[in-house]
Amino acid sequence: MSRPREFDVDRVLHQSMEVFWNQGFKATSYEDLTRTTGVKKQSLYCVFKDKRSLFLKALAIYREQVIAKLKEIEALDSSPVDKLNTLRYSLLDDETSCQGCLIVNASLEFGTDDEQVTREAELMAEEIQLVLEKIISSGQKQQLISNRYTSIELASYLNNTILGVRVMEKSGSSREQIETVLRTSFGMIMS
């Protein structure tokens, strides 16, 4: 008869995500994970199989959290311009901004060498793109957002801006530099 699990899997997953986010996958040891979570290595192995499986689950959880926040902004009862401004301000007010984006960081660490990491990055980009397209399309119909380009093109442009800002954050750019990039990029699509 197996012993009951003695730790909260979600809590451990979130704690592990923070370790990977701060250190990257390759620089994170099992000792780092066990020290942070307070869970023994064997117990982690029983639930998550190995460090890579734990990392992939952390990437998926992170992606889900980011998309949930973006969908909350999309669901606001406000104009498309206000929604985009809320998104822009949320990018500036993110308390984890010096860490960048976990998925962007992983993409930079792995390049295209790991199909599953690449797939998580692609899923995140696709999901962000779809939400941005909806907001932009609505703004274009109301003539609040430029019709010079399609909603798909503008969403791609803003998505790229967001990714670039996350790299800027991780590489130590100042808040003022990041704010300038965001203000300019978001401002360029307004009518």
Side-chain angles (χ1 to χ4, degrees):
M1 182 151 124
S2 64
R3 293 177 42 202
R5 190 173 298 132
E6 298 175 5
F7 63 91
D8 180 342
V9 173
D10 286 337
R11 180 186 58 77
V12 166
L13 184 55
H14 283 86
Q15 289 172 326
S16 299
M17 180 179 71
E18 290 293 329
V19 175
F20 289 128
W21 200 351
N22 284 319
Q23 297 178 196
F25 175 77
K26 294 172 185 168
T28 298
S29 68
Y30 246 103
E31 290 71 33
D32 296 327
L33 295 168
T34 58
R35 187 178 337 104
T36 300
T37 63
V39 176
K40 292 183 172 137
K41 185 176 182 178
Q42 187 61 37
S43 296
L44 283 175
Y45 272 133
C46 287
V47 175
F48 298 109
K49 186 179 161 192
D50 56 23
K51 183 176 95 166
R52 185 172 181 281
S53 296
L54 176 57
F55 179 66
L56 292 171
K57 287 183 189 296
L59 289 179
I61 292 293
Y62 177 84
R63 177 179 47 79
E64 291 165 7
Q65 289 175 345
V66 169
I67 298 306
K69 287 179 187 177
L70 190 54
K71 286 183 176 181
E72 284 176 21
I73 292 171
E74 179 197 3
L76 292 172
D77 186 24
S78 59
S79 78
V81 171
D82 288 342
K83 290 176 185 183
L84 290 176
N85 283 329
T86 299
L87 172 59
R88 181 168 59 97
Y89 295 131
S90 74
L91 293 167
L92 286 169
D93 294 336
D94 189 353
E95 65 275 356
T96 60
S97 65
C98 64
Q99 293 172 277
C101 166
L102 176 60
I103 291 182
V104 170
N105 296 351
S107 295
L108 293 172
E109 181 176 1
F110 285 89
T112 56
D113 293 340
D114 188 302
E115 284 183 31
Q116 288 178 291
V117 171
T118 299
R119 184 65 190 138
E120 277 300 324
E122 289 170 348
L123 281 172
M124 183 142 145
E126 290 167 10
E127 291 175 16
I128 290 172
Q129 177 87 15
L130 288 173
V131 175
L132 289 173
E133 281 178 43
K134 288 179 188 176
I135 296 170
I136 290 168
S137 178
S138 175
Q140 287 177 322
K141 288 175 186 163
Q142 298 174 42
Q143 298 183 344
L144 300 170
I145 295 176
S146 172
N147 282 301
R148 185 171 178 202
Y149 299 97
T150 68
S151 61
I152 293 170
E153 292 168 325
L154 292 176
S156 181
Y157 170 72
L158 284 185
N159 199 359
N160 190 54
T161 297
I162 293 167
L163 293 174
V165 161
R166 293 306 191 194
V167 172
M168 289 175 72
E169 291 167 345
K170 184 70 175 176
S171 63
S173 295
S174 72
R175 180 182 167 91
E176 292 75 27
Q177 291 171 311
I178 292 168
E179 189 171 6
T180 298
V181 168
L182 289 172
R183 186 178 59 251
T184 304
S185 296
F186 279 73
M188 288 179 73
I189 73 164
M190 302 303 167
S191 289

